[in-house]
Amino acid sequence: MENEPLIDDALKSELAALYRAADRHYHGLAHIEAMLALAAEYRRLLHDPEAVEAAIWFHDAIYDSRAKDNEAKSADLAEKKLAGRVDPPRLARIAAMINATATHQLPPSRDENALNDAALLLDMDLAILGAEPAVFDAYEKAVRLEYGWVEEPMWRAGRAAVLKSFLARPHIFYTSGFRQRFETRARTNLQRSLAALEG
């Protein structure tokens, strides 16, 4: 059981189909592939790289911009699809990482290794915030398209609140490596975006 990949080709195809849905402008396959590339780059820092990869594959599997429980439903899907492939404690860690992407707060755990992996997963998920300005702007436009049903004044207020919540944190990124690489540019991008929303 341990030697088989957690996410085999059949499961990849099944999940990729979800990420290819027409309403996925940002939360699609390109986002998953970008996170998987970061996971490969930082693999030596991960305690359980396969579990992190599984969490990446599942974390936005269920995505409805009108819903508030996407992450919980994505974690449920992971538990259903991975049952029998992975032991229960490991599956619980995968589900906890997926659920953590709802608030981008570390999951409650005393396990240092699990917390380390969750921190890296959350940082990978937010790496887009520290992208080059043009890439960040494309991301912002794509997220706006996913919320196309929200009227502009409501969008501006809601999105501004989200950006302010990130800017209010002592650090946007949990790990030193991601802070050094992305923190400064992420704050610049967020402040620029916030100014445009409130302008």
Side-chain angles (χ1 to χ4, degrees):
M1 188 174 86
E2 283 304 303
N3 299 332
E4 290 177 26
L6 289 185
I7 310 283
D8 60 22
D9 289 343
L11 193 47
K12 272 183 194 171
S13 299
E14 198 179 323
L15 291 168
L18 295 175
Y19 285 108
R20 286 198 186 99
D23 59 351
R24 305 281 195 130
H25 300 281
Y26 172 69
H27 293 91
L29 209 47
H31 171 52
I32 300 307
E33 287 165 349
M35 287 182 68
L36 290 170
L38 284 167
E41 191 181 338
Y42 288 92
R43 191 177 174 92
R44 65 192 164 72
L45 300 180
L46 296 171
H47 170 68
D48 187 348
E50 281 80 21
V52 172
E53 283 164 20
I56 289 170
W57 269 106
F58 277 102
H59 84 287
D60 286 326
I62 307 296
Y63 186 78
D64 170 4
S65 65
R66 295 171 190 260
K68 294 271 182 270
D69 60 351
N70 290 317
E71 293 83 7
K73 282 184 174 164
S74 295
D76 288 346
L77 182 67
E79 289 182 319
K80 197 168 80 190
K81 294 285 180 186
L82 297 174
R85 292 185 193 217
V86 55
D87 58 80
R90 197 177 185 203
L91 190 49
R93 290 201 308 274
I94 293 168
M97 283 190 274
I98 295 165
N99 279 310
T101 65
T103 57
H104 282 93
Q105 303 288 347
L106 287 174
S109 175
R110 290 211 176 87
D111 179 342
E112 284 299 314
N113 290 327
L115 284 172
N116 169 72
D117 283 0
L120 281 157
L121 176 91
L122 293 176
D123 283 358
M124 290 173 207
D125 195 25
L126 292 184
I128 187 69
L129 299 181
E132 297 288 343
V135 176
F136 175 82
D137 291 349
Y139 149 76
E140 289 276 86
K141 287 195 182 77
V143 173
R144 179 67 182 107
L145 284 172
E146 290 183 341
Y147 286 86
W149 54 274
V150 180
E151 290 182 22
E152 190 65 15
M154 287 292 293
W155 165 258
R156 284 175 177 256
R159 187 67 180 166
V162 170
L163 301 188
K164 280 178 180 163
S165 75
F166 282 120
L167 285 166
R169 295 180 174 205
H171 301 287
I172 293 167
F173 298 98
Y174 285 102
T175 64
S176 58
F178 276 76
R179 276 181 207 160
Q180 285 163 7
R181 186 171 172 183
F182 295 117
E183 184 86 25
T184 304
R185 199 186 290 148
R187 289 192 176 272
T188 305
N189 282 333
L190 291 175
Q191 280 155 349
R192 187 165 51 81
S193 186
L194 189 58
L197 288 166
E198 293 182 332

